[in-house]
Amino acid sequence: MPAAGRRRVTRRLRAVCPRSHMEDEDCPELVPIDLGVVHDSEPGSGRKIPVTIITGYLGAGKTTLLNYILTEQHSKRIAVILNEFGEGSALEKSLAISQGGELYEEWLELRNGCLCCSVKDNGVKAIENLMQKRGKFDYILLETTGLADPGAVASVFWVDSELGSDIYLDGIVSVVDAKHGLQHLTEEKPEGLVNEASRQVALADLIIINKTDLVSGEELNKVRTSVRSINGLVKILETQRSRVDLSNVLDLHAFDSLSGISLQKKIENMKTTHAHLDKGIMTVTFEVLGNIKEENLNLFIQNLLWEKNVKDKTGRTMDVIRLKGLVSIQGKSHQVIVQGVHELYDVEETAVTWKEDEKRTNRLVLIGRNLDKEIIKEVFIETVTEKHENS
Ligand SMILES: Nc1nc2c(ncn2[C@@H]2O[C@H](COP(=O)(O)OP(=O)(O)OP(=O)(O)O)[C@@H](O)[C@H]2O)c(=O)[nH]1
Ligand SMILES: [Zn+2]
């Protein structure tokens, strides 16, 4: 039984991948090839290690950002995981650990290769095992390949807190190339697939538009507008050589209840969505007053993310990539935050209480395709006001 007021729902059979080794319970082991000095592993410290995913299209400036963080941040022992973590085939992973401005690289062997899908929790386990051998890191930075879907990688790390993992997902940072970003974002994929660049922007908690030295103010404006039209919630920074104030990148707590306060501000400041010309990804937000039941909220989210039976006017399935919300659950004095990535979602109480004179309300933000705000809002109202019997 999940602890009261805290619930992570994962539907593993659906949420993972079509491969056949789902039954395989073997844990891949990250093996440090050079077993050098073993550091204190601070037993029993109970401290959880944040993981920041750094994504962005080919050549956007991800590695430049990583290197910048490693040179700027001396006080933390940062582990950097490079290359195709989370993708199927590679047997070796390079893992670089930085300490005191020096970088140690290690090659890691994955015994049974696949870190994605079935082994998703084991991927985290592998890092935990390594920390046991090598001492704890303070922070983990993970660079995905330019064509990766960060949602899949995020799912690996957004693990059930009840599993007692040492690691938590802190945030997703996407680097966008100021010069070529627009071209990547508008690229048409066959069969109406979402292009990778848009997906990376949709999932991001922070966007860094990099290489601003290569574009005019007007071009930069276009990229910014395009990014904003996809993700109405994300913070956008503009950089050269990915030089960014690190407090904007690290410790975002974008996936836990601590983000409740900043989420509220962001939702309040969000401009109402403007009409969209393209059929790409966009952000919609709506608000419904009153208290709702948690079971009805679950039903709403599951219809959207799992059953995918919410359609737009023309019968197309609404495809939600990212979901965030602050809701008011009946009988709970605290605001509740809802988070979703692909088919995983989480409902968690925040530290913020509803004030006595405050109107109880539910605000949701959805990022995805074929989203029709009016229809979603209607479906939400229907679902939360309907009487669902307890069996
Ligand atoms: N002009 C300019 N070049 C930059 C800037 N930032 C990075 N670069 C260059 O762009 C190239 C790609 O940068 P990387 O950091 O390797 O990009 P990446 O996203 O890690 O690339 P992949 O891992 O290959 O997808 C390098 O040659 C960088 O030196 C910038 O702000 N301006
Ligand atoms: Zn790179």
Side-chain angles (χ1 to χ4, degrees):
M1 273 296 285
R6 166 138 188 81
R7 177 145 190 246
R8 164 74 46 79
V9 183
T10 60
R11 187 189 242 193
R12 285 162 206 282
L13 289 178
R14 278 278 196 100
V16 282
C17 121
R19 271 168 227 263
S20 58
H21 49 255
M22 294 205 42
E23 313 76 33
D24 189 350
E25 291 298 324
D26 276 356
C27 175
E29 215 181 329
L30 293 174
V31 185
I33 281 165
D34 158 37
L35 278 170
V37 192
V38 177
H39 300 263
D40 265 342
S41 61
E42 303 170 40
S45 73
R47 188 169 43 90
K48 288 187 178 256
I49 320 297
V51 180
T52 292
I53 294 173
I54 297 176
T55 182
Y57 208 75
L58 300 168
K62 300 179 289 297
T63 303
T64 308
L65 174 63
L66 275 174
N67 289 335
Y68 180 69
I69 295 174
L70 293 176
T71 53
E72 285 297 294
Q73 181 55 265
H74 289 278
S75 56
K76 286 190 162 92
R77 187 161 186 256
I78 301 178
V80 178
I81 302 174
L82 304 163
N83 72 35
E84 300 103 85
F85 191 94
E87 287 178 12
S89 58
L91 280 161
E92 275 190 318
K93 307 288 170 193
S94 130
L95 187 137
I97 301 168
S98 152
Q99 192 172 32
E102 278 189 72
L103 198 65
Y104 307 93
E105 188 168 32
E106 288 183 32
W107 283 93
L108 304 161
E109 183 191 338
L110 291 169
R111 287 250 179 86
N112 65 1
C114 183
L115 270 179
C116 88
C117 50
S118 71
V119 290
K120 79 186 193 120
D121 297 328
N122 294 343
V124 174
K125 194 89 187 80
I127 291 176
E128 289 174 351
N129 288 348
L130 184 71
M131 288 200 290
Q132 278 189 345
K133 286 183 194 141
R134 306 289 304 200
K136 273 204 169 177
F137 316 129
D138 299 310
Y139 212 102
I140 296 171
L141 300 171
L142 191 151
E143 178 185 342
T144 70
T145 59
L147 297 175
D149 172 3
V153 184
S155 300
V156 173
F157 288 95
W158 197 28
V159 283
D160 201 323
S161 66
E162 279 124 49
L163 295 178
S165 173
D166 284 352
I167 295 171
Y168 70 89
L169 177 58
D170 184 68
I172 301 174
V173 176
S174 288
V175 187
V176 173
D177 186 327
K179 180 85 182 163
H180 301 106
L182 206 54
Q183 184 193 327
H184 300 148
L185 289 171
T186 52
E187 187 202 347
E188 297 254 358
K189 300 281 285 186
E191 294 167 39
L193 291 173
V194 177
N195 70 55
E196 293 86 359
S198 299
R199 197 175 278 281
Q200 290 163 354
V201 168
L203 281 157
D205 301 296
L206 169 71
I207 299 276
I208 297 175
I209 301 180
N210 185 41
K211 307 196 186 181
T212 57
D213 55 307
L214 300 180
V215 294
S216 67
E218 196 186 334
E219 283 173 285
L220 185 56
N221 251 327
K222 281 189 189 160
V223 181
R224 197 188 302 120
T225 306
S226 177
V227 165
R228 182 53 80 209
S229 78
I230 291 171
N231 190 330
L233 209 52
V234 74
K235 179 167 183 162
I236 302 175
L237 299 174
E238 288 154 18
T239 61
Q240 295 182 9
R241 306 246 148 232
S242 306
R243 278 167 208 265
V244 62
D245 182 342
L246 296 189
S247 66
N248 288 314
V249 180
L250 305 179
D251 298 312
L252 298 181
H253 291 281
F255 286 83
D256 56 54
S257 62
L258 280 178
S259 66
I261 299 161
S262 57
L263 179 59
Q264 176 161 20
K265 291 208 189 90
K266 280 184 202 158
I267 295 177
E268 277 163 8
N269 294 334
M270 253 180 79
K271 308 270 178 296
T272 33
T273 30
H274 25 265
H276 277 267
L277 307 171
D278 56 45
K279 47 194 181 316
I281 304 176
M282 59 165 149
T283 305
V284 299
T285 178
F286 65 87
E287 177 170 4
V288 173
L289 287 171
N291 285 318
I292 61 173
K293 283 189 181 167
E294 186 158 350
E295 68 209 68
N296 291 349
L297 176 67
N298 280 321
L299 198 65
F300 171 75
I301 297 173
Q302 288 167 15
N303 281 335
L304 210 56
L305 302 186
W306 297 357
E307 308 305 332
K308 301 197 187 298
N309 57 15
V310 183
K311 314 265 185 198
D312 73 358
K313 279 192 200 75
T314 63
R316 292 177 306 185
T317 298
M318 296 198 199
D319 177 13
V320 176
I321 297 172
R322 188 89 149 95
L323 172 155
K324 288 191 184 201
L326 280 172
V327 296
S328 171
I329 305 275
Q330 229 168 57
K332 287 202 198 292
S333 53
H334 289 246
Q335 299 189 357
V336 168
I337 187 168
V338 188
Q339 290 256 19
V341 174
H342 288 202
E343 294 182 339
L344 299 180
Y345 76 94
D346 186 22
V347 177
E348 191 182 2
E349 267 185 75
T350 67
V352 181
T353 50
W354 294 101
K355 294 181 202 73
E356 263 178 41
D357 55 348
E358 194 177 8
K359 62 177 183 351
R360 293 267 198 146
T361 189
N362 306 278
R363 293 195 181 96
L364 276 96
V365 183
L366 306 160
I367 304 175
R369 283 194 308 168
N370 310 330
L371 302 183
D372 183 315
K373 174 180 167 164
E374 293 313 317
I375 295 181
I376 299 183
K377 186 174 171 179
E378 248 168 63
V379 172
F380 182 81
I381 293 171
E382 265 169 36
T383 317
V384 300
T385 53
E386 215 173 292
K387 303 272 173 292
H388 295 282
E389 301 300 323
N390 269 331
S391 84

